[in-house]
């Protein structure tokens, strides 16, 4: 399969667990699929969904830290209250995304909006844009740094319900929520549901 591979790096990233609304805010070890579609939409300057391109991705980071963050809560009477809470973040995120729609190359050469991996302070930059061939490699391969739909045979890991993408309405609505294995670390896998990046020597699960 011919795909567009985009390499992005940054200093920090954070991906909130949907079940944690207040208090301590842990981060997922890798972004959900919806974050990838948000990232592509920011680069394109248009609303992008799985109907526009399928995606795969692999993300690594060096460490996890905790920061203090101030949030402001708006009430119906227009009053504002502030609160300070602890938020986890990932250090030195290193993200490869794979797009089946090759026409998005121009969008990543000159992104329309800032590219973020989480909050507005989690800026990332594009370091490489390349067309490559993902191949079908049978037998054992290394997979991780991504999420995989639940019940995929041969995959194991923590489970989390996550959206596929969000609507572009106000308020936004979550679309395609389902359980995913969250593969923060790499595991050995022997099935054929992942394609293979020969250069980086890992499997890539294609969503969409």
């Amino acid at each position: 399969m011919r795909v567009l591979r985009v390499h992005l790096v940054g200093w920090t990233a954070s991906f909130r667990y949907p079940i944690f609304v207040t208090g301590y805010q842990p981060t997922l070890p890798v972004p959900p699929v919806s974050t990838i579609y948000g990232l592509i939409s920011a680069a394109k300057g248009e609303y992008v969904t799985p109907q526009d391109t399928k995606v795969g991705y692999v993300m690594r980071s060096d460490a996890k830290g905790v920061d203090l963050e101030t949030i402001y809560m708006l009430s119906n009477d227009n009053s504002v209250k502030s609160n300070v809470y602890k938020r986890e973040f990932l250090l030195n995120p290193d993200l490869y995304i794979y797009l089946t729609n090759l026409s998005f190359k121009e969008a990543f050469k000159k992104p329309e909006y800032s590219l973020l991996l989480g909050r507005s302070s989690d800026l990332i930059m594009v370091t490489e844009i390349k067309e490559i061939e993902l191949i079908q490699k049978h037998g054992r391969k290394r997979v991780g740094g991504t999420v995989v739909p639940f019940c995929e045979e041969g995959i194991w890991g923590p489970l989390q319900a996550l959206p596929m993408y969000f609507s572009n309405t106000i308020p936004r609505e979550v679309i395609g929520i389902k359980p995913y294995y969250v593969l923060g670390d790499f595991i050995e896998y022997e099935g054929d549901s992942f394609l293979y990046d020969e250069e980086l020597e890992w499997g890539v699960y294609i969503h969409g």
Side-chain angles (χ1 to χ4, degrees), residues 122-138:
D122 298 324
L123 287 164
I124 55 170
M125 64 179 179
V126 177
T127 62
E128 182 186 54
I129 305 170
K130 188 177 182 179
E131 288 188 26
I132 66 162
E133 198 74 31
L134 289 177
I135 65 170
Q136 187 70 64
K137 179 189 176 185
H138 301 296

Side-chain angles (χ1 to χ4, degrees), residues 10-15 27-31 59-66 87-94 117 122:
W11 288 349
T12 60
S14 60
F15 312 110
T27 179
L28 292 163
V30 295
M59 197 196 98
R60 302 168 297 186
S61 60
D62 288 343
K64 184 187 293 184
V66 179
R87 179 173 67 89
E88 287 186 350
F89 64 92
L90 303 169
L91 185 65
N92 296 331
D94 182 30
L117 272 183
D122 298 324

